[in-house]
């Protein structure tokens, strides 16, 4: 018997089914690709957002390095011109002004007559004192003669010792009265001499505050001087030197004066003295200079710019003024290290040049300093550093006094 092999139906899908499955598979693959792309895009966006947020949290700052001081520095400070000697002239005796001889602007010599005062009361008092002196001298002469006679009679016991002692004492009292009257006469003569107002020294009359017939009160009780005399052959110039620059100013150091009335002309001066003490209110040293004024071109009371040529300081640095931080613990500068981390350093300021300031201590020449540091700057904070654009205008070398 012939056995026929068993036949099973084929597991392969029909052709028409295979044609339907291919688009479905392609759609599934596209969907998976789209989901994967969206996931990757979301992850990339989150990463970029974190990077952007982190970058935005780090401030961007400008940084520069300090510069060395100039080879020679000019220090310009305000000064006041004063007469070498100046004195208000008051009256020492009362009366009325009889005449004045010198007006303002006229030169005078020591002892020259400025004005005369008419004081009849003083003249009468002097005549009375002279009469009192004559009386006292006569009484003293009489008492002295009596005492001399008693001295001769006393050894002969012709007079009582007690009576002789009284005559001797009376003679001494009369002698003291003569001395007193003579002193009073001398006082009134000196007071009468003050009727002539004289110049105390060579100079120029800078003020006349009286006129003929004016009532003169002795001792300046009226509060106004009759004349003012100033010696202007040379002048004193007073300048306030900032405390940080005091070691660079020495006695006999030369300076130049420049006046607003003659800006193209300079006058020589030199330091002659200092107050030898710092003024606590301004932290400055009062310094006195001497200027020759033989030609009379300088006027007392005028304002002048005093220019000192200071010796160079190689260890002094300059930084832009906008790099300073004013904190409660003092003046500081924000410095950036190699890892772009901030360090706040306390510094000591010198002169102020406007756009630049001197730093006397606390900073190194190779350190990077932050310009316009943010208020949030603190030790250890991270920053992003960019270099500033170079400035075309060089800084001036003329210094100003630090702010008081």
């Amino acid at each position: 018997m012939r056995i026929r092999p068993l036949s099973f139906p084929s597991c392969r899908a029909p052709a028409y089914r295979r044609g339907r499955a291919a688009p479905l598979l392609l759609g599934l693959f596209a969907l998976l690709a789209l989901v994967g792309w969206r996931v990757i895009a979301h992850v990339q966006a989150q990463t970029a957002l974190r990077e952007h947020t982190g970058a935005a949290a780090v401030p961007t700052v400008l940084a520069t390095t300090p510069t060395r001081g100039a080879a020679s520095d000019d220090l310009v400070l305000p000064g006041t011109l004063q007469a070498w000697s100046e004195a208000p002239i008051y009256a020492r005796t009362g009366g009325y002004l009889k005449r004045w001889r010198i007006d303002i602007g006229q030169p005078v010599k020591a002892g020259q007559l400025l004005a005369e005062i008419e004081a009849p009361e003083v003249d009468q008092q002097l005549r009375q004192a002279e009469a009192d002196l004559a009386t006292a001298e006569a009484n003293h002469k009489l008492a002295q003669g009596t005492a001399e006679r008693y001295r001769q009679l006393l050894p002969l016991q012709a007079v009582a010792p007690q009576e002789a002692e009284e005559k001797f004492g009376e003679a001494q009292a009369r002698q003291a009265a003569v001395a007193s009257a003579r002193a009073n006469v001398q006082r009134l003569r000196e007071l009468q001499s003050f009727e002539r107002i004289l110049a105390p020294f060579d100079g120029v009359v800078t003020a006349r505050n009286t006129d003929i017939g004016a009532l003169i009160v002795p001792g300046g009780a009226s509060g106004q001087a009759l004349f003012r005399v100033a010696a202007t052959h040379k002048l004193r110039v007073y300048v306030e030197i900032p405390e940080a620059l005091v070691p660079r100013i020495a006695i006999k150091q030369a300076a130049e004066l420049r006046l607003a009335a003659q800006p193209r002309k300079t006058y020589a001066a030199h330091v002659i003295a200092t107050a030898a003490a710092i003024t606590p209110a301004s932290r400055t040293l009062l310094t006195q200079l001497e200027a020759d004024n033989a030609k009379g071109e300088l006027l007392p009371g005028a304002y002048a710019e005093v220019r000192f040529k200071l010796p160079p300081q190689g260890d002094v640095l300059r930084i832009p003024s906008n790099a300073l931080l004013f904190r409660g613990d003092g003046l500081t500068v924000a410095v950036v290290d190699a890892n772009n981390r901030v360090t706040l350093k306390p510094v000591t300021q010198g002169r102020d040049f406007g756009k630049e300031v001197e730093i006397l201590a606390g900073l190194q020449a190779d350190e990077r300093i932050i310009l316009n540091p943010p208020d949030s700057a603190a030790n250890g904070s991270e920053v992003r550093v960019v270099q500033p654009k170079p400035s075309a205008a060089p800084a001036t070398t003329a210094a100003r006094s630090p702010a008081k």
Side-chain angles (χ1 to χ4, degrees), residues 2-10:
R2 189 178 179 182
I3 300 175
R4 299 179 61 182
L6 297 174
S7 60
F8 296 92
S10 176

Side-chain angles (χ1 to χ4, degrees), residues 321 349-358 398-403:
S321 57
Q349 180 184 348
R351 290 173 292 170
D352 186 353
F353 298 93
K355 293 184 178 180
E356 289 186 336
V357 294
E358 273 186 350
R400 300 179 300 177
S401 172

Side-chain angles (χ1 to χ4, degrees), residues 11-27:
C11 294
R12 298 179 61 184
Y16 72 93
R17 290 185 177 179
R18 291 198 301 271
R20 280 185 186 177
L24 292 176
L25 291 175
L26 291 176

